[in-house]
Structures are given as C-alpha cells and as structure tokens.
Amino acid sequence: MSKSICNLNLSLQYLLLMITLLLLKVDSRTHPGDIRVLKDLKHGLHPESIAPGSCLSSWDFSVDPCDHIFSDRFTCGFRCDRFASGFFRVTEITLDPVGYSGLLSSTTWNLPYLQTLDVSDNSFYGSIPDSLSNLTRLRRLSLSMNLLSGKMPVSLVSLAHLEELYLDNNSLHGSIPSNFNSLVSLKRLEIQENILSGEFPDLGALKDLNYLDASDNQISGEVPSTLPVSLVELSMRNNNLRGKLPVNVGDLEFLQVLDLSHNKLSGPISSVLFDHPSLQQLTLSHNNFTFLQVPGTVGLTSKLIALDSSYNDLRGILPGFLCSMPKLSSLSLENNKFTGMIPSQYALKVAVPRSNSSSLERLLLGGNYLFGPIPSALMGLKPGSANVSLVDNCLYRCPDTFFFCQGGNQKSLVDCKKRFDTVIPWIRTTN
C-alpha cells in the first residue's frame, strides 16, 4: 500500500514538472481584459493631443503589449508582471507629461493588478470616475496638474492599499469626504490648489500619514484638532481658517514643517510650537496673531531653524527668547506692530558667530515701530554677509549707507508718535 502511494506521489510530481515546462514554452500573453483597458485609454484621448514621439503614439495593438514593451511598438507608458496564471498583467501606468487630453471615464479601469496610476501634468478633464475604485491593489494614484473638476469621489475609500494620493492642481470643488479617514494605508495626501471648501474632516485614524498639503483652497473652520500623530509635514496655507491654534499641535511629535500662512487665525502663537521636540520650519505669516507666548524653556530646547510670523498683529517689544533658540537661522517678524528698541541679542545672533548656536542669516524686522539707535553689532555688517532689513520703522537714523536700511524710509515722526501714544495705554492695561 505504501509503495503504491509513493509511486502516486512521484507520478504527480512528474506531472507538475511537465505542466510547468509546457507553460514556460508558451508565448507570454497580456491578459485580454488589460489589453481592453489600454485600448480604451488610448482611443478615449483626443487624437491631436497624442504628440509624435510620445508614449501613446507608439502603442500598436497589432502586437501583444506586454510581449513588446520597450520596443518601437510600445516604447513606454506601462509596466507588466507575470503571474501564476501564465498571463502578463499590467501593474503600472505612468504616462509622459505631453498634454494628453480626454476623459478618465473613457475606460472601466478594470485592472485588478495595477499598483501605480500616474497621468499627472496632462490635460485630462471632467470628473474623477468612480470606476477607479476597481483598482483594488492600487498603491499610488497621481492625477495632479490636469483640468479635472467635480467633487472628490467617496468611492476612492475602497482603495484599501493606497499609500499616495495626488489630486493637486486641478479644479475640484466641494468638501473633502469624511470617509477618507478609512484610507488607513495612506502616507501622503496632496490636494492643494483646488477649490475645496467646508471644514477639514477628522483624519486622525490615518496613523501612517506623514505628508498632508491642503493649501490654496477655500477650506473654512478651525485648524483641525484631530490630526494624524504621524505627520511630518503639514501645510494648509492660503485658506479661510479662523480661530486659535489648537494646543494639541504639540502632540504631533514627528512634525517638522508647519505652514498655516495666509489664513485668518488669531490669538496667541502658542508656546508649544517653540518647545516642540521636532518642529524645524514654522510659517504663520499673513494672519491676525497678536502675541507670542514665551515657552517654559525660554527657547533653549527649540529645534526651529526658520520662523516666519510676518504680516500679523503682533505687539509689544521683540521677545528675547527667540534669540535663545540654538538652531534658529531665519527669523521674519516684519510688518507687525512691535515697538521698543532692537534687543542687543538680536544683533549679536547675526553678527557674532557662536560655536554652540547658529547665527541668524536672515533677520527681517521692517514695517514695525521699533525706535532708538541701530545696535552697534550690526554697524560692521557687510552686504551679502546676512539678509537683514530694518526699513519702515521709527529708528533714530538709518541711512542708506547701511545695506539693511536700503529699500525703504523710516516712518514719519507723526506716525511714530500716534503709535507710541496708543502703546502707552496698552502697556498700562497689560501690566
């Protein structure tokens, strides 16, 4: 009995070997369904938008696509991989940016093995089709820099393996779907430069999201307090955000870049941003912030390299703790309502190198109400040694012979006196 079983096993192994050898001898073929999608994609384009020498101009379906990839019949635009069925399947479509024009809905997108779809920097128009939800293995979807309109389709939430989503530089409108919180594999989301509106949804469940850019839209409400803790870069520049900064932004322990400029944010610039364990670049310009909170560490543990709080409503004297930040090399506080004299530590951080602290290579203080003499440490600076501007203040003598006084005059005595007369009552009420 055991001998018969042994012979049977040997026979089965031999049969499997023969089948494998036969499969290897069969000419490789692209799956018919994949060929159909590639054909629909090309035939759905306006013929005049298929430039000579472009990828799609070479697609010749008289031969098998995957058999002739990188030949003169199919020079570029897609990639194939062979699977156990013996068929080659299309796993990537990356079109060259030559201005292809057409509707993305011209095909069913029935490509079950596609992992990358990139048609960016072309002229596709119309809405984003729900049929993209058929791409269940998709990891990267880039529709950037086209002419797409309509709303962000909620059907994209079915792309459970999606890691990168680029919908930026189109004309998408409406709100950001709240069910995007289910795209748990997402690492990068770029939706900037559209016409998106409404409040930003809760995306706190996206534990792997490290890059989020929603700039240049019409998003309203407050800065969301439920942001993914994994974020490294966050930009919501040029929207309609209001209110104060959420205190729990300090919980984003990996955050390195934060840009909330060109909004309508107000109140204090929270001290947690100056005590943050990883934040390196902070841009809050063109808002309505009124003062900077002093951190408990007085800036000594700050990782900030660049701080831009220009064009706000910041008042009082220039805060000294900013010069205690060991890595700070770029500081812009121009066009606020700071008054008082320029602290000597500001000038020293520009002019006197230190072994344990970065020098200020950029110091912009123009457009305030600073008065008094120019700090002596700045007087010896030579043009090109640092980017410094003190124009449009109330300084006592700031002649054009100093490069940091060039490009604008000091304010008139009348304007300075008006500001000074309003500052004295403000100081009395705050003390």
Side-chain angles (χ1 to χ4, degrees):
M1 183 69 177
S2 59
K3 186 176 181 180
S4 299
I5 294 174
C6 183
N7 289 335
L8 180 60
N9 287 336
L10 288 172
S11 298
L12 288 172
Q13 291 175 14
Y14 179 78
L15 181 60
L16 289 172
L17 177 61
M18 293 302 295
I19 292 173
T20 302
L21 291 173
L22 285 171
L23 285 174
L24 290 173
K25 291 181 180 180
V26 175
D27 289 337
S28 57
R29 303 292 295 174
T30 309
H31 191 278
D34 293 9
I35 296 177
R36 190 176 307 115
V37 172
L38 294 178
K39 283 182 177 179
D40 290 345
L41 177 59
K42 180 175 181 177
H43 296 157
L45 298 177
H46 296 298
E48 64 274 12
S49 72
I50 304 177
S54 64
C55 288
L56 268 70
S57 68
S58 71
W59 287 11
D60 178 1
F61 292 99
S62 65
V63 296
D64 185 82
C66 293
D67 277 349
H68 293 81
I69 195 168
F70 305 132
S71 71
D72 57 351
R73 304 288 187 93
F74 287 94
T75 58
C76 54
F78 65 99
R79 192 190 79 197
C80 301
D81 288 296
R82 190 169 187 169
F83 288 85
S85 63
F87 281 114
F88 271 92
R89 307 302 302 255
V90 176
T91 55
E92 178 180 340
I93 293 178
T94 301
L95 300 186
D96 43 341
V98 295
Y100 297 122
S101 177
L103 295 169
L104 290 176
S105 57
S106 62
T107 179
T108 60
W109 294 108
N110 188 18
L111 295 171
Y113 290 89
L114 195 72
Q115 298 178 18
T116 297
L117 175 58
D118 186 344
V119 298
S120 58
D121 202 5
N122 279 289
S123 298
F124 288 97
Y125 59 90
S127 59
I128 300 174
D130 287 331
S131 55
L132 290 180
S133 61
N134 294 333
L135 307 175
T136 53
R137 284 182 172 85
L138 202 65
R139 296 185 179 276
R140 185 174 187 271
L141 174 59
S142 181
L143 308 179
S144 304
M145 293 182 284
N146 279 285
L147 305 173
L148 299 171
S149 57
K151 296 185 177 182
M152 295 173 63
V154 297
S155 57
L156 293 181
V157 74
S158 64
L159 304 178
H161 300 287
L162 195 64
E163 296 178 356
E164 299 177 36
L165 177 58
Y166 304 89
L167 302 177
D168 55 282
N169 290 271
N170 283 288
S171 297
L172 303 175
H173 62 82
S175 59
I176 303 165
S178 58
N179 66 353
F180 271 34
N181 204 28
S182 301
L183 292 171
V184 292
S185 298
L186 205 60
K187 296 179 180 179
R188 191 178 184 99
L189 175 59
E190 297 198 28
I191 52 175
Q192 68 271 22
E193 297 197 44
N194 281 287
I195 322 171
L196 300 171
S197 58
E199 296 190 2
F200 199 83
D202 176 6
L203 297 182
L206 306 185
K207 303 301 182 184
D208 292 325
L209 189 69
N210 53 54
Y211 187 98
L212 170 58
D213 193 344
S215 301
D216 301 298
N217 281 288
Q218 298 176 8
I219 299 170
S220 57
E222 298 184 345
V223 177
S225 57
T226 51
L227 289 165
V229 295
S230 53
L231 278 175
V232 175
E233 294 191 32
L234 170 62
S235 180
M236 299 184 72
R237 176 186 63 252
N238 196 24
N239 280 286
N240 295 318
L241 298 173
R242 297 176 179 269
K244 299 179 180 181
L245 291 174
V247 178
N248 60 359
V249 71
D251 297 335
L252 308 178
E253 57 181 318
F254 304 107
L255 192 66
Q256 296 181 13
V257 178
L258 176 61
D259 187 349
L260 299 174
S261 61
H262 293 269
N263 280 287
K264 300 173 183 177
L265 300 170
S266 57
I269 298 179
S270 175
S271 60
V272 299
L273 297 172
F274 305 120
D275 268 338
H276 197 280
S278 60
L279 190 61
Q280 299 177 18
Q281 183 176 322
L282 177 60
T283 308
L284 300 174
S285 57
H286 295 271
N287 278 289
N288 299 313
F289 292 112
T290 52
F291 67 97
L292 289 79
Q293 288 183 341
V294 181
T297 60
V298 210
L300 292 172
T301 62
S302 175
K303 301 296 189 297
L304 275 177
I305 297 173
L307 169 62
D308 185 354
S309 296
S310 59
Y311 293 89
N312 275 284
D313 197 26
L314 299 172
R315 302 164 181 244
I317 62 173
L318 291 173
F321 77 88
L322 294 176
C323 295
S324 300
M325 296 180 176
K327 297 185 177 182
L328 192 68
S329 61
S330 177
L331 175 61
S332 178
L333 298 174
E334 59 186 347
N335 291 287
N336 280 286
K337 294 179 180 177
F338 286 113
T339 187
M341 298 175 67
I342 300 175
S344 59
Q345 57 262 48
Y346 277 65
L348 291 172
K349 192 167 175 63
V350 175
V352 181
R354 299 179 184 179
S355 58
N356 59 346
S357 179
S358 297
S359 297
L360 276 176
E361 300 174 4
R362 179 184 177 92
L363 176 62
L364 305 181
L365 300 177
N368 284 287
Y369 292 86
L370 304 172
F371 57 78
I374 297 171
S376 58
L378 294 179
M379 307 288 263
L381 286 179
K382 296 180 179 180
S385 59
N387 182 6
V388 180
S389 177
L390 304 179
V391 301
D392 193 24
N393 276 289
C394 300
L395 296 170
Y396 173 70
R397 295 191 62 193
C398 194
D400 283 351
T401 51
F402 297 118
F403 73 90
F404 44 77
C405 295
Q406 297 172 5
N409 298 321
Q410 294 295 297
K411 287 182 170 69
S412 69
L413 289 174
V414 174
D415 289 340
C416 293
K417 186 177 184 301
K418 284 181 181 178
R419 178 60 190 159
F420 186 73
D421 289 342
T422 60
V423 167
I424 295 300
W426 180 79
I427 292 176
R428 288 172 179 167
T429 57
T430 55
N431 288 338

